[in-house]
Amino acid sequence: QVQLVESGGGLVQAGGSLRLSCARSGHTFAAYAMAWFRQPPGKGREFVSAINWLDGNTEYADSVKGRFTISRDNAKDTLYLQMNSLKPEDTAVYYCAGQPWGPSSGNYYDLKGYPYWGQGTQVTVSS
């Protein structure tokens, strides 16, 4: 069974920073990409950022460009999201997602391309 475990969420004031982590464990899969999605209160889940697990190429939602940085440590099998200059509208449950090699490889923005998900970690930004 694939396990993705997020950590690092919490409460922070606007302008502050947080670093999320997502550790892969259990039955591993050959990842084409890993990504972060988020679900604000009362809204649907939305794409935040993705990284190609082999070459490190990254993709960001316009709303987080210049403020968030996605990275990975292949040796530790861990995904990160450094979030700076946080805004109240960044408040959401943040989910780590895994995209294996296959027909959906490279389709970063579509939730359906990610069969593996973590349990989520809450990020709350106060104004």
Side-chain angles (χ1 to χ4, degrees), residues 31-104:
Y32 180 87
M34 295 289 292
W36 291 97
F37 285 77
R38 67 186 181 186
Q39 187 161 9
K43 297 183 179 180
R45 200 168 297 191
E46 62 186 31
F47 173 82
V48 175
S49 183
I51 186 167
N52 183 290
W53 206 247
L54 288 181
D55 62 21
N57 284 338
T58 58
E59 190 80 14
Y60 295 93
D62 289 342
S63 59
V64 306
K65 278 181 183 176
R67 300 188 299 121
F68 291 11
T69 302
I70 191 171
S71 62
R72 90 271 195 237
D73 185 328
N74 296 65
K76 294 183 179 180
D77 225 0
T78 301
L79 177 73
Y80 303 99
L81 185 69
Q82 178 66 43
M83 305 186 295
N84 298 329
S85 302
L86 282 161
K87 304 174 182 180
E89 50 263 45
D90 294 318
T91 295
V93 178
Y94 282 72
Y95 296 91
C96 168
Q99 182 180 88
W101 286 84
S104 297

